[in-house]
Amino acid sequence: DRDTDKKRIEELLEENMVLEIAQKQSMNESAHLGWELEQLSKSTDLADSEKSFVFELNECASSRILKLEKDNQSLQNTIQELRDASLTSRESSLKFVELEKENQQLSKKV
């Protein structure tokens, strides 16, 4: 059981790292899209057709940013769930060790 718990903790920690990397990538992409949006909004000397294109691009970028923010929130929730599961697993391991000690003590008394 201890080995299983240790293995599960390792798996959760590994999955946690993967999610954190994905979250950082999502945040970087969001920041980059924000920068692109800002650069495009600074271009005020565009022709009307170009302004329409920029507006459409801004809408797409804004939509993408919102999607990335939702993804980021979902990843943060998953990370928290994994942390909670890891904590629960650790608590179970500790409880198992305590019960094992108690069992040994009772065996000695018997």
Side-chain angles (χ1 to χ4, degrees):
D1 284 344
R2 255 193 261 163
D3 288 340
T4 303
D5 286 344
K6 283 182 183 179
K7 188 175 182 180
R8 180 69 179 143
I9 288 170
E10 289 174 6
E11 289 172 358
L12 289 173
L13 290 173
E14 184 176 323
E15 190 173 341
N16 192 3
M17 287 190 304
V18 169
L19 289 171
E20 286 178 355
I21 289 169
Q23 178 187 10
K24 287 178 184 176
Q25 288 174 338
S26 174
M27 295 298 287
N28 287 340
E29 188 173 342
S30 177
H32 181 70
L33 287 172
W35 177 83
E36 285 181 4
L37 186 63
E38 185 178 316
Q39 295 303 312
L40 290 172
S41 67
K42 289 180 180 178
S43 303
T44 56
D45 59 344
L46 298 174
D48 286 342
S49 63
E50 290 174 330
K51 286 182 182 179
S52 174
F53 175 73
V54 169
F55 177 76
E56 187 177 331
L57 195 56
N58 284 346
E59 288 294 313
C60 288
S62 295
S63 174
R64 181 77 173 133
I65 287 171
L66 288 174
K67 182 185 180 303
L68 288 171
E69 286 174 349
K70 281 185 177 180
D71 289 347
N72 185 34
Q73 184 62 42
S74 174
L75 288 171
Q76 287 179 347
N77 290 340
T78 303
I79 287 170
Q80 187 58 47
E81 289 171 6
L82 288 171
R83 284 183 179 146
D84 293 345
S86 177
L87 181 62
T88 301
S89 179
R90 286 183 193 147
E91 289 172 350
S92 295
S93 293
L94 290 173
K95 198 163 234 170
F96 176 78
V97 169
E98 288 175 18
L99 289 172
E100 196 173 87
K101 286 180 182 177
E102 185 178 338
N103 188 21
Q104 288 175 355
Q105 288 174 351
L106 291 172
S107 292
K108 287 179 183 178
K109 286 182 180 180
V110 171

